[in-house]
Amino acid sequence: EDQVTQSPEALRLQEGESSSLNCSYTVSGLRGLFWYRQDPGKGPEFLFTLYSAGEEKEKERLKATLTKKESFLHITAPKPEDSATYLCAVQPLRDTPLVFGKGTRLSVIA
Amino acid sequence: DAMVIQNPRYQVTQFGKPVTLSCSQTLNHNVMYWYQQKSSQAPKLLFHYYDKDFNNEADTPDNFQSRRPNTSFCFLDIRSPGLGDAAMYLCATSSDSTSGSADTQYFGPGTRLTVL
């Protein structure tokens, strides 16, 4: 069975305190891995798509990396506005639905 | 800006009273999805359309139905809402490509359904 596991479930950081969120996966294939940000009461906002091991993508204070077993979302010098739930999802094969992790709830304290 | 739009943003209905949620998109994507998301849980796929081809997930209750009259619009009908159907309903779209790479799904803002 395809599974995506995110850790930690919740993370509390001081403003400026860099850290990483983990997304590990056991899937039948890897057509793509997605990171989304979700604010309370809103839909997920797309951040990154990663396709193959070794790939990295950056956007402002966020950097996503991918290995054969897991992905990391690195947050450098976070600000309070980075507080949100970060969702990881994998599409194993074409015509298969996304498999989501349960998310990491990030709080950044000023 | 191209986007996914959901209406209404908040919907209150009574137990057993049918409700319809709508989604429209200006991305010209051929694939549309409906997800249900309950508090602190991951989104759960209910249906998706490849163009007009309807795909129902195996565990989607019969109480839920969907319509896609054209490329831009998709509707979610809940025939007899129960208390357990209170959730955020998310619409998403993607452009199905024949390449070997996955296609990113773009989500709308969601409709929060309350069942009284």
Side-chain angles (χ1 to χ4, degrees), chain A residues 31-32 34 36 38 41-44 46 49 51 87 91 94-95 97-98 100-102, chain B residues 9 35 37 42-43 45 50 88 90 96-97 99-105 107-109:
Chain A
R31 202 159 179 260
F34 305 89
Y36 291 90
Q38 187 171 27
K42 297 187 177 180
F46 169 69
T49 305
Y51 295 106
L87 293 169
Q91 186 182 30
R94 189 166 185 262
D95 295 344
L98 293 183
F100 280 89
K102 292 184 177 180
Chain B
R9 292 294 316 279
Y35 289 87
Q37 186 178 29
L45 184 64
Y50 277 91
M88 174 76 86
L90 298 166
D96 179 51
S97 75
S99 74
S101 299
D103 302 297
T104 300
Q105 291 187 23
F107 286 83

Side-chain angles (χ1 to χ4, degrees), chain A residues 52-97:
Chain A
S52 58
E55 191 173 359
E56 299 183 352
K57 289 192 176 173
E58 287 189 66
K59 179 182 177 181
E60 297 179 352
R61 295 179 291 283
L62 300 177
K63 179 179 177 181
T65 62
L66 181 65
T67 72
K68 288 185 179 179
K69 295 288 186 185
E70 58 192 348
S71 176
F72 291 94
L73 185 65
H74 307 277
I75 303 178
T76 302
K79 298 182 178 181
E81 53 261 41
D82 295 322
S83 298
T85 295
Y86 290 85
L87 293 169
C88 173
V90 171
Q91 186 182 30
L93 302 167
R94 189 166 185 262
D95 295 344
T96 60

Side-chain angles (χ1 to χ4, degrees), chain B residues 28-48:
Chain B
N28 202 31
H29 285 168
N30 61 328
V31 191
M32 295 187 78
Y33 310 80
W34 279 107
Y35 289 87
Q36 179 193 65
Q37 186 178 29
K38 296 188 176 181
S39 183
S40 301
Q41 296 184 18
K44 175 180 180 293
L45 184 64
L46 297 173
F47 312 100
H48 67 283

Side-chain angles (χ1 to χ4, degrees), chain B:
Chain B
D1 284 345
M3 57 183 9
V4 181
I5 302 161
Q6 291 189 244
N7 286 302
R9 292 294 316 279
Y10 302 92
Q11 176 73 59
V12 180
T13 191
Q14 292 181 333
F15 183 95
K17 185 173 181 181
V19 66
T20 295
L21 310 181
S22 72
C23 176
S24 63
Q25 53 125 343
T26 61
L27 296 162
N28 202 31
H29 285 168
N30 61 328
V31 191
M32 295 187 78
Y33 310 80
W34 279 107
Y35 289 87
Q36 179 193 65
Q37 186 178 29
K38 296 188 176 181
S39 183
S40 301
Q41 296 184 18
K44 175 180 180 293
L45 184 64
L46 297 173
F47 312 100
H48 67 283
Y49 284 88
Y50 277 91
D51 297 311
K52 288 204 167 186
D53 291 335
F54 174 72
N55 296 271
N56 184 18
E57 294 306 299
D59 56 355
T60 298
D62 293 339
N63 196 26
F64 291 85
Q65 295 180 328
S66 183
R67 297 169 283 135
R68 189 179 183 186
N70 55 52
T71 301
S72 301
F73 286 87
C74 198
F75 299 97
L76 175 64
D77 301 308
I78 308 177
R79 291 193 291 182
S80 182
L83 298 179
D85 297 326
M88 174 76 86
Y89 290 87
L90 298 166
C91 175
T93 73
S94 69
S95 178
D96 179 51
S97 75
T98 54
S99 74
S101 299
D103 302 297
T104 300
Q105 291 187 23
Y106 295 91
F107 286 83
T111 295
R112 169 72 64 187
L113 178 67
T114 300
V115 182
L116 302 177

